[in-house]
Amino acid sequence: MSGKHLIESPTKADGAALWRIARDSKKLDLNSSYAYLLWCHDFADTSVVAKVDGSPVGFVLGYRKQDTGFVWQVAVDASQRGKGLAGALLDELFDRLVAQGVRYLETTITPDNEASIRLFASFAKRWNATLESRDLFSAHDFPAEDGTHEQEDLYRIGPLSSQ
């Protein structure tokens, strides 16, 4: 995969590849393949996928709630990491959403996910917006299936305006 990144809205044809990228990240909570297909179908206007030579290599899945865009997952294929792709995906998504009236971005991040914390801090800086964080879900809020899910902190960035 040597071509230029094309960033566009996902389609259901991308769902299986997004599931594989999430699985291979070994960091994200992996959802069913069905969930990724639904997300690509039902939330395509609030999500973006990066492709190289027609194949997905990264994505941001999100949804909108009033004036806030919520980022559910961000993942980049190992072959594309370190190239600024996650930041480019976030910028493209929120450039689209700001035009629709979105003024804030929210996401949740586990305290040990330093890469995601840096990604969103960098996004806030590029967009000249304030970043705030607070506890949202404690480890005890999650089912005790295996007892390994860490707390999730809420990160809120804004207000955002067109760049």
Side-chain angles (χ1 to χ4, degrees):
M1 293 186 185
S2 59
K4 184 179 179 195
H5 295 121
L6 171 66
I7 299 176
E8 59 189 19
S9 296
T11 67
K12 71 177 183 174
D14 299 320
L18 273 54
W19 177 85
R20 283 190 294 278
I21 293 168
R23 178 199 64 198
D24 294 349
S25 77
K26 302 206 185 314
K27 188 68 182 166
L28 295 175
D29 286 341
L30 183 63
N31 297 279
S32 71
S33 56
Y34 177 68
Y36 292 91
L37 288 169
L38 274 178
W39 208 278
C40 290
H41 183 266
D42 292 348
F43 296 102
D45 62 337
T46 56
S47 301
V48 288
V49 61
K51 295 181 179 179
V52 171
D53 300 329
S55 297
V57 295
F59 64 84
V60 176
L61 301 179
Y63 61 88
R64 181 178 174 180
K65 51 183 188 169
Q66 291 100 21
D67 68 345
T68 301
F70 185 87
V71 172
W72 177 52
Q73 287 189 324
V74 177
V76 173
D77 185 77
S79 69
Q80 301 298 308
R81 291 187 193 136
K83 299 179 180 182
L85 183 54
L89 283 162
L90 278 177
D91 288 344
E92 174 65 26
L93 177 63
F94 282 91
D95 200 34
R96 294 176 182 194
L97 293 179
V98 163
Q100 299 173 27
V102 167
R103 297 291 171 247
Y104 295 90
L105 174 150
E106 291 182 345
T107 194
T108 62
I109 306 173
T110 57
D112 72 334
N113 192 338
E114 295 175 15
S116 286
I117 293 168
R118 283 192 309 271
L119 172 66
F120 285 92
S122 177
F123 175 86
K125 185 176 181 179
R126 281 194 311 281
W127 284 74
N128 195 30
T130 302
L131 182 143
E132 299 172 347
S133 67
R134 65 175 175 84
D135 294 348
L136 183 62
F137 299 121
S138 76
H140 301 292
D141 290 329
F142 293 94
E145 297 170 347
D146 60 11
T148 61
H149 202 294
E150 291 186 71
Q151 79 179 46
E152 292 272 351
D153 297 329
L154 179 69
Y155 284 75
R156 183 171 171 86
I157 299 170
L160 299 166
S161 58
S162 296
Q163 290 189 329

